[in-house]
Amino acid sequence: MVVHLLDNAVKFGHRNGRVAVRITLQSGMVAIAVADDGPGVPPEIVDHLFRPFIQGERSLVRQHEGIGLGLPIVRRFAQLHGGNVELDSAPGRGTTVTILLPAARLTAPPIAGLKESRAQ
C-alpha cells in the first residue's frame, strides 16, 4: 500500500518536488500519510479516484501510465485490515493520502517515540 502511494506521489508530483511520509497514532489508528507538493486534485474528482479504472487525468493525452486500480486496491486492503484511506487534496496545494490501520492489530511493539497526535 505504501509503495503504491509513494509511486503516485513521485509520478504525479512536480519535477524536483517533495514527497513526505509521516506515521502517527490517531484515535487508536496508525496513520501512514504520504504527501506530495504536486498540482493537487480538484474536489469533484477526489471521490472518483477510489473507483476502479478511474484516473485523475482527464485529458485525452495522458502523461502518466496506469489503469486506475492503485487507490481502489489500497483502500480495499486497508478495509480488509479494519482500516480505511483518506485523501486530502486541492488544486495548487498537493495531495496527502493517509492509510489508517487499527493500532491494536500491530504484531510488533510500537515504534519507539511514536506518540498520539490530534486528528487533523
Side-chain angles (χ1 to χ4, degrees):
M1 291 184 285
V2 174
V3 168
H4 175 74
L5 296 185
L6 288 169
D7 180 62
N8 267 6
V10 170
K11 186 181 351 181
F12 294 105
H14 292 299
R15 173 174 250 138
N16 298 319
R18 292 187 46 189
V19 173
V21 178
R22 184 180 71 240
I23 302 172
T24 58
L25 287 174
Q26 296 178 3
S27 303
M29 303 292 273
V30 174
I32 305 165
V34 177
D36 67 59
D37 61 356
V41 179
E44 64 271 13
I45 294 178
V46 170
D47 289 334
H48 298 290
L49 294 178
F50 289 101
R51 294 189 3 224
F53 305 109
I54 302 293
Q55 295 180 323
E57 287 184 294
R58 295 186 289 182
S59 69
L60 293 176
V61 182
R62 290 190 16 231
Q63 297 176 355
H64 304 287
E65 294 182 21
I67 58 173
L69 288 176
L71 285 176
I73 289 172
V74 168
R75 177 175 269 177
R76 185 64 186 131
F77 281 171
Q79 290 170 336
L80 288 170
H81 285 283
N84 206 353
V85 175
E86 297 174 347
L87 190 143
D88 179 35
S89 186
R93 73 169 174 91
T95 300
T96 300
V97 181
T98 304
I99 302 169
L100 298 164
L101 300 170
R105 297 213 39 191
L106 289 176
T107 57
I111 299 168
L114 188 63
K115 295 185 172 35
E116 184 81 20
S117 70
R118 292 184 217 144
Q120 297 178 3

